[in-house]
């Protein structure tokens, strides 16, 4: 039942001679109204995607990961209810753009995303790295590699756009980082551009550390993109409060 319903019922129970409630009753009724409003507050709809160790579902179905833990900690400090959905990365962003979700993470800044969302304070440090076979003497920073090297990045990431914008030969955009590593091992591409957290964990899991090497491409902030439509419905202080909570949670 809504707070308004309880308020109406409480008013009906007042004796007629108390048509104007006493100060104490007004305080009690106001408290009931506020409590009902808080209870009715909808959860913040967060989207992410499967990319251990940053974000993943455990066997019991609950969300976990280095990025998930910081976001959960921050929202707990703000006492805000939330939900986390795991979706393919392009769809996770599309839903925020079309107001079917409120935010997505973990994301790096881009002009396209800035058009419909606002990036939070960094929730984790982040490295974007090149990965190559050890017997490949090329360097992705060389001009010859830009013209001839076959590169790949996973679909929907900022990395595929970055490769195109910087003149690299983007030959494939598989749906996840695991496919990227497999493509590199099978020599279908000369180098892949990947999230160091995710690709390093995959390489260790697959036991192929001795076959690959990496070079730093960029260091970037990693944050939560909150949709502008969502922020317009929130208190003007919401993002400031969230960012402050993130800093506290990162320090733990």
């Amino acid at each position: 039942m809504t707070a308004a319903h309880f308020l109406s019922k409480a008013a009906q129970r007042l004796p007629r001679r108390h048509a104007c409630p006493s100060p104490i009753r007004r305080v009690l009724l106001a408290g009931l109204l506020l409590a009902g409003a808080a209870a009715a507050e909808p959860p913040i709809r967060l989207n992410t995607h499967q990319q251990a160790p940053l974000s993943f579902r455990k066997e019991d179905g609950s969300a976990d990961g280095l990025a998930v833990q910081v976001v959960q900690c921050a929202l707990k400090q703000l006492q805000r209810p939330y939900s986390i959905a795991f979706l393919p990365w392009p769809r996770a962003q599309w839903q925020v753009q079309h107001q079917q979700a409120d935010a997505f993470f973990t994301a790096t800044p881009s002009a396209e995303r800035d058009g419909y969302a606002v990036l939070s304070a960094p929730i984790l440090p982040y490295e974007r790295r090149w990965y190559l076979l050890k017997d490949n003497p090329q360097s992705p920073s060389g001009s010859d590699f830009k013209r001839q090297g076959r590169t790949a990045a996973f679909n929907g990431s900022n990395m595929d756009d970055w490769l195109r914008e910087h003149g690299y030969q983007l030959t494939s955009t598989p749906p996840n980082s695991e496919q990227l590593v497999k493509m590199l091992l099978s020599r279908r591409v000369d180098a892949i551009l990947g999230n160091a957290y995710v690709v390093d964990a995959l390489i260790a899991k697959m036991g192929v550390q001795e076959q690959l090497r990496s070079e730093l491409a960029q260091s970037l902030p990693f944050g939560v993109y909150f949709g502008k439509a969502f922020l317009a419905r929130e208190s003007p202080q919401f993002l400031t409060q969230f960012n402050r909570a993130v800093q506290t949670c990162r320090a733990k």
Side-chain angles (χ1 to χ4, degrees):
M1 294 184 182
T2 65
H5 174 82
F6 283 113
L7 183 57
S8 175
K9 289 294 184 182
Q12 292 174 16
R13 288 195 295 268
L14 291 174
R16 292 187 179 278
R17 65 177 177 275
H18 293 299
C20 181
S22 69
I24 293 177
R25 289 186 178 183
R26 283 199 297 269
V27 170
L28 291 174
L29 293 174
L32 179 60
L33 182 61
L34 290 173
E41 191 171 51
I44 299 173
R45 302 166 298 173
L46 297 158
N47 285 349
T48 188
H49 62 131
Q50 190 80 11
Q51 52 171 2
L54 293 173
S55 51
F56 57 91
R57 284 209 179 277
K58 297 191 294 186
E59 290 184 2
D60 64 3
S62 61
D64 200 2
L66 298 174
V68 169
Q69 290 170 10
V70 175
V71 173
Q72 289 177 325
C73 173
L75 292 175
K76 184 177 180 180
Q77 283 196 25
L78 299 184
Q79 298 184 332
R80 292 298 301 269
Y82 63 89
S83 64
I84 298 178
F86 284 78
L87 300 171
W89 195 225
R91 185 179 170 200
Q93 299 167 77
W94 185 91
Q95 285 195 348
V96 174
Q97 185 176 9
H98 292 83
Q99 301 181 35
Q100 295 179 14
D102 301 318
F104 62 88
F105 72 99
T106 306
T108 53
S110 79
E112 180 183 359
R113 293 166 177 172
D114 289 342
Y116 61 88
V118 179
L119 188 63
S120 73
I123 60 176
L124 288 171
Y126 166 64
E127 287 187 354
R128 179 180 290 172
R129 299 189 72 88
W130 291 104
Y131 294 85
L132 304 91
L133 293 171
K134 279 191 177 179
D135 61 8
N136 184 349
Q138 297 173 294
S139 172
S141 60
S143 57
D144 288 343
F145 186 90
K146 275 193 175 184
R147 289 193 301 269
Q148 303 173 7
R150 299 166 301 164
T151 68
F154 78 82
N155 185 37
S157 67
N158 269 349
M159 290 172 281
D160 57 3
D161 289 335
W162 186 89
L163 287 168
R164 293 188 186 96
E165 291 168 3
H166 287 78
Y168 287 94
Q169 303 303 309
L170 180 64
T171 60
S172 185
T173 54
N176 55 58
S177 296
E178 184 174 1
Q179 291 299 316
L180 280 178
V181 176
K182 290 179 177 178
M183 290 178 66
L184 180 59
L185 290 170
S186 64
R187 300 181 183 270
R188 293 171 56 192
V189 292
D190 299 306
I192 61 173
L193 190 60
N195 176 329
Y197 284 106
V198 178
V199 178
D200 286 349
L202 280 170
I203 290 172
K205 180 181 178 181
M206 298 167 71
V208 294
Q209 299 95 319
E210 297 304 315
Q211 300 179 48
L212 304 175
R213 62 183 178 88
S214 71
E215 296 181 16
L216 178 65
Q218 282 183 302
S219 295
L220 296 166
F222 234 173
V224 179
Y225 259 113
F226 287 98
K228 289 182 178 180
F230 165 76
L231 292 175
R233 299 192 300 268
E234 288 291 313
S235 159
Q237 297 302 311
F238 170 80
L239 192 56
T240 299
Q241 293 168 350
F242 179 83
N243 289 341
R244 189 179 300 123
V246 163
Q247 300 306 318
T248 302
C249 292
R250 283 189 59 183
K252 290 185 177 181

